[in-house]
């Protein structure tokens, strides 16, 4: 009896071999997905740092306006040292221990300078390499009013 190849079963076998995904295709898809998710996570971290820094800047603005109103309420006279020290302690509690204030009054012009340190998303350090989230930069806010 001659063996005749069964063309129907050959087609079925070929169809079974080519259906579905191979393991390498799945691994490549997972790798691409992982790289995309890492990128999204990195953007989220930078966004959170920038939100925190914006909050510090807002607090600095509020504190400078508060000090200006205290000076106006005091009849445009220089405030007592104890008042300034208490205010600076509150400032340091909000903006960090490196925060400082300098108040200059020349006649009718009062200039309030606030300084604090905030974290940068990427700052070049001594080695010349950028280190995300490790950098710190000195910020200065000048508030000038005429009374």
């Amino acid at each position: 009896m001659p063996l005749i190849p069964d063309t129907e079963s050959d087609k079925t076998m070929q169809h079974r071999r080519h259906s579905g995904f191979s393991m390498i295709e799945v691994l490549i898809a997972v790798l691409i997905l992982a790289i995309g998710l890492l990128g999204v996570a990195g953007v989220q971290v930078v966004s959170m740092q920038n939100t925190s820094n914006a909050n510090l800047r807002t607090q600095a603005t509020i504190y400078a306006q508060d000090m200006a109103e205290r000076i106006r309420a005091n009849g445009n006279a220089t405030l007592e040292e104890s008042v300034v020290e208490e205010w600076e302690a509150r400032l340091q509690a909000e903006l960090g221990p490196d925060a400082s204030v300098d108040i200059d009054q020349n006649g009718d012009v009062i200039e309030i300078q606030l300084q604090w340190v905030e974290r940068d998303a990427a700052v070049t350090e001594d080695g010349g390499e950028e280190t995300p989230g490790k950098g710190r930069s000195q910020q200065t806010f000048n508030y000038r009013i005429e009374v």
Side-chain angles (χ1 to χ4, degrees):
M1 225 170 147
L3 293 173
I4 300 174
D6 187 5
T7 57
E8 293 276 330
S9 65
D10 286 344
K11 288 180 183 177
T12 305
M13 289 297 287
Q14 287 179 355
H15 180 68
R16 283 186 190 156
R17 274 189 257 149
H18 294 292
S19 66
F21 295 103
S22 70
M23 185 60 80
I24 194 79
E25 290 171 330
V26 172
L27 289 174
I28 289 172
V30 168
L31 177 67
I32 291 171
L33 179 65
I35 291 171
L37 289 176
L38 282 173
V40 169
V43 168
Q44 184 69 23
V45 167
V46 170
S47 174
M48 288 174 59
Q49 281 182 334
N50 287 335
T51 299
S52 175
N53 290 342
N55 183 41
L56 291 177
R57 292 175 187 165
T58 301
Q59 291 296 324
T61 303
I62 290 169
Y63 274 102
Q65 290 174 343
D66 177 53
M67 180 55 72
E69 292 302 319
R70 285 175 183 237
I71 292 170
R72 282 187 182 141
N74 196 33
N76 297 335
T78 306
L79 296 173
E80 294 178 13
E81 191 65 31
S82 62
V83 173
V84 175
E85 286 175 2
E86 176 211 335
W87 184 80
E88 190 169 6
R90 288 187 319 159
L91 178 76
Q92 289 175 345
E94 289 288 329
L95 299 181
D98 297 324
S100 65
V101 62
D102 183 34
I103 302 171
D104 291 327
Q105 187 169 2
N106 292 329
D108 290 345
V109 177
I110 300 169
E111 187 170 328
I112 302 168
Q113 183 181 62
L114 301 176
Q115 292 186 334
W116 71 96
V117 175
E118 62 182 41
R119 293 179 57 187
D120 281 342
V123 168
T124 304
E125 295 180 359
D126 293 336
E129 296 180 15
E130 287 191 0
T131 309
K134 304 269 187 206
R136 297 170 59 83
S137 65
Q138 181 78 27
Q139 298 295 320
T140 302
F141 179 75
N142 291 316
Y143 191 76
R144 184 178 181 161
I145 58 171
E146 291 185 31
V147 289

